[in-house]
Amino acid sequence: MAKLDVFDIKKAKVGEIELDDAVFNDDVREYLIHEAVKIQLANRRQGTVAVKNRALVAGSGKKPFKQKGTGQARQGCRRAPQYPGGGVAFGPQPKDYNLSMNKKARKAALRSALSMLYKKDAITVVNSLELPSIKTKAFVEVLTAFNLDKTLVITDTATPTLELSARNVKHVKVLGPEGLNIFDIMKYQSVVFTEAAVRRVEGALQS
């Protein structure tokens, strides 16, 4: 069974934690990770872009001049795309970009991503992330002690003290276990878990 050391916020070792191999030491299936990231990014798209075609722009539908005898190309109306202020031909219209992934595959993708981080030694476990006060400097000192930079923090209790202390730190994001997602796992170089958060993630990602 996979194991990790457990530290306090000053990086003093306070114990060990056994990790569920099915969650943190599973086979890394890169195709599932790619699919899950693609779906998550696609579902963020609003798809609300729109332009007016010749049927929607204001203006007369009257023929600008007679069909024959002028020496000019025949024209239907001033709302046509070739005229200034005319409608746009084949412009973008509202579209639904949402994709779906079944629950079993989504969990497998998260397990693969966490397993990849574990095998890269990019997971840190702390017993608690309780800070005495709201102070960005105190949170930065915790990151410095562990030599962490681009970090995703998963805590079982996201207290206002922790969230406000971390809010202005660049390249750091604080989430609860229920907010764990494939894009953020892949975006950040390392993940910090509290002990309780590890257990909640394991419970949620059981196959």
Side-chain angles (χ1 to χ4, degrees):
M1 182 173 280
K3 288 185 179 180
L4 283 176
D5 293 334
V6 179
F7 301 93
D8 63 16
I9 59 175
K10 294 184 179 179
K11 206 183 177 180
K13 183 178 175 180
V14 295
E16 287 186 343
I17 185 171
E18 291 188 348
L19 304 176
D20 188 343
D21 284 337
V23 176
F24 288 94
N25 201 17
D26 198 8
D27 294 332
V28 178
R29 288 172 275 188
E30 293 182 359
Y31 69 95
L32 276 179
I33 295 174
H34 174 267
E35 188 72 12
V37 170
K38 182 180 74 174
I39 288 172
Q40 185 173 339
L41 291 179
N43 291 346
R44 289 183 179 184
R45 298 181 69 175
Q46 289 184 317
T48 54
V49 62
V51 296
K52 291 183 178 182
N53 57 26
R54 64 187 296 167
L56 298 176
V57 295
S60 171
K62 182 182 177 182
K63 199 170 176 65
F65 46 80
K66 64 182 182 177
Q67 180 84 343
K68 297 179 180 294
T70 65
Q72 300 183 67
R74 56 195 176 188
Q75 302 293 333
C77 72
R78 291 282 181 185
R79 294 181 298 171
Q82 67 268 27
Y83 283 106
V88 176
F90 307 113
Q93 294 297 323
K95 179 180 177 181
D96 182 8
Y97 290 95
N98 284 349
L99 300 173
S100 62
M101 189 176 194
N102 69 61
K103 192 174 182 179
K104 186 175 180 180
R106 188 165 63 250
K107 285 185 176 182
L110 282 168
R111 291 197 297 267
S112 290
L114 290 172
S115 297
M116 183 173 66
L117 289 180
Y118 172 75
K119 290 169 183 177
K120 288 182 177 179
D121 198 25
I123 295 178
T124 302
V125 181
V126 295
N127 59 349
S128 174
L129 276 171
E130 291 291 334
L131 298 176
S133 61
I134 299 172
K135 202 168 186 180
T136 300
K137 183 179 178 181
F139 182 77
V140 171
E141 286 174 353
V142 175
L143 297 180
T144 304
F146 288 93
N147 195 26
L148 297 174
D149 182 20
K150 199 172 183 181
T151 306
L152 178 64
V153 179
I154 308 298
T155 174
D156 57 303
T157 52
T159 62
T161 303
L162 175 62
E163 290 181 337
L164 294 175
S165 296
R167 183 172 59 180
N168 290 332
V169 182
K170 195 175 182 181
H171 303 312
V172 169
K173 188 172 186 177
V174 178
L175 292 174
E178 67 284 351
L180 188 65
N181 64 89
I182 192 76
F183 178 75
D184 283 332
I185 292 175
M186 300 307 299
K187 177 181 177 181
Y188 293 92
Q189 296 174 350
S190 58
V191 180
V192 175
F193 284 96
T194 60
E195 276 189 281
V198 168
R199 297 308 180 206
R200 287 181 59 183
V201 168
E202 287 177 341
L205 296 183
Q206 292 293 333
S207 56

